[in-house]
Amino acid sequence: MLHQFTHSKIWVTWGRVGLIGLGLLLGLLAGAGAILGVAALSDAPALFLLSGLVAFALIATGSAALATRRLAASRRRRWRLSVWSVEAALAILVAIALLVPLHDPVVPAAAVPGQRFWDLPTGSRIAYVKIPAVGVPKPTPIIFVHGGPGVPMMAEDARFFGRLSQYGYDVYLYDQTGAGLSPRLDDPTQYTIARHVADLEAIRQRIGAERVILIGHSWGGTIAATYLAEHAEHVEKVVFSAPGAIDWAEMETSGSGMLGRLSAQQRWQVIEDMLSLRGFLAYELVQVNPRAAHAFAGDREMDAHFDRMFA
């Protein structure tokens, strides 16, 4: 009889521990949901992070109260103090993981001889380089549109595509707004296809070319295709190099892109980098409110993190 009573008591205790553990897990999930829910309405990190803490505390504390409600007063106090200690420790660990900035090294863009800036009527300040034609220039210059979004490699691209100048073409390469040496926008929701197409048209007007030859690489192919659809009269020819989707929202992720070319060990290293709680939250915030993500983790921090992952 005593053995049965002891066995039953053990099961009750473990059941209570399981309920408390489930409450802590549900509290973490509720906290994450609250952060994203409030962030969809507010750009203020203090507000949406605090909402997550409150949601976690309410769910976790409520589950502890439910699990210990039938205990004697003294035992109930001990149990709840223990649970509150675990809650506090979890909250501190999560807060550290979310609030401590990522410390990836800043990698400055490589200098390109002759690099200058355009101040366009669209409001964009664009870093560019012109490689003049050898001999008499042909009337249709070449404009190279880089990939990404946000992956300019002007130094490497200038060395490669600059060779077209030997055939009599003026060659222009530029960092799209918010990428490379071109300044970032204050409002991240303005990084749109329409903005990039407007910038490209302003560039055509700035260089004084009636018609241009476009080379669009990857994401740059998406911009070039959209520009062609809207300004066909100004396009002499267009070259698509490993082009992105015409509709970027339908871009496939079957593994044939950059990750698909990595070894299993390299791919796991990228996944580990992505598992940073702060970086992961920044990514999720972009999905619900890019302005909230921008306020939570700024351009300098995310630029450096992206550079390391891209490398």
Side-chain angles (χ1 to χ4, degrees):
M1 192 72 175
L2 179 60
H3 173 73
Q4 290 179 339
F5 176 76
T6 302
H7 187 71
S8 175
K9 190 175 180 180
I10 290 173
W11 275 108
V12 169
T13 299
W14 276 110
R16 187 173 293 118
V17 170
L19 182 58
I20 291 172
L22 179 62
L24 290 171
L25 177 60
L26 292 176
L28 290 172
L29 294 175
I35 288 174
L36 296 178
V38 175
L41 305 173
S42 171
D43 304 345
L47 183 59
F48 57 73
L49 291 174
L50 181 61
S51 71
L53 176 62
V54 170
F56 165 71
L58 287 176
I59 298 297
T61 302
S63 68
L66 180 65
T68 59
R69 70 188 188 283
R70 294 183 178 178
L71 291 175
S74 60
R75 291 192 65 204
R76 186 165 59 242
R77 281 195 298 272
R78 288 197 299 271
W79 271 84
R80 291 183 179 178
L81 282 173
S82 298
V83 174
W84 292 339
S85 298
V86 173
E87 285 182 31
L90 274 175
I92 291 170
L93 289 174
V94 171
I96 291 172
L98 291 180
L99 297 178
V100 175
L102 303 172
H103 291 295
D104 296 300
V106 175
V107 181
V112 181
Q115 183 260 313
R116 296 183 176 86
F117 285 90
W118 285 309
D119 289 304
L120 303 179
T122 59
S124 298
R125 181 170 171 80
I126 297 294
Y128 78 98
V129 64
K130 174 186 178 181
I131 303 170
V134 174
V136 179
K138 295 181 180 180
T140 49
I142 293 172
I143 301 177
F144 175 73
V145 189
H146 68 72
V151 189
M153 296 183 288
M154 189 181 288
E156 294 85 349
D157 291 336
R159 284 194 293 270
F160 184 81
F161 292 102
R163 289 182 288 177
L164 295 173
S165 65
Q166 302 295 320
Y167 299 93
Y169 293 101
D170 286 333
V171 180
Y172 292 88
L173 303 96
Y174 71 99
D175 290 345
Q176 295 156 24
T177 187
L181 294 174
S182 295
R184 308 300 182 258
L185 299 177
D186 293 332
D187 182 356
T189 64
Q190 296 303 304
Y191 294 122
T192 62
I193 286 282
R195 175 65 174 260
H196 289 303
V197 169
D199 284 345
L200 183 52
E201 171 60 8
I203 289 170
R204 182 198 65 78
Q205 295 176 18
R206 176 63 60 88
I207 65 179
E210 182 59 28
R211 296 171 72 82
V212 296
I213 298 171
L214 297 177
I215 300 177
H217 176 68
S218 188
W219 153 257
T222 304
I223 297 175
T226 309
Y227 181 88
L228 177 63
E230 297 183 12
H231 302 283
E233 71 279 9
H234 296 305
V235 179
E236 179 73 21
K237 299 175 183 177
V238 61
V239 178
F240 296 104
S241 164
I246 292 177
D247 180 358
W248 191 251
E250 297 179 0
M251 184 64 178
E252 62 88 25
T253 54
S254 65
S256 60
M258 288 192 295
L259 284 179
R261 297 196 296 267
L262 299 180
S263 68
Q265 182 178 359
Q266 290 170 328
R267 196 176 306 176
W268 178 246
Q269 184 179 349
V270 172
I271 292 171
E272 284 184 310
D273 287 342
M274 293 173 66
L275 291 179
S276 154
L277 195 57
R278 181 175 172 84
F280 183 73
L281 178 58
Y283 173 80
E284 291 299 324
L285 288 171
V286 168
Q287 313 311 308
V288 299
N289 184 353
R291 294 188 181 97
H294 193 251
F296 173 69
D299 289 318
R300 182 179 177 85
E301 179 183 353
M302 289 293 104
D303 278 356
H305 189 57
F306 178 80
D307 284 343
R308 183 165 70 88
M309 292 190 64
F310 181 66

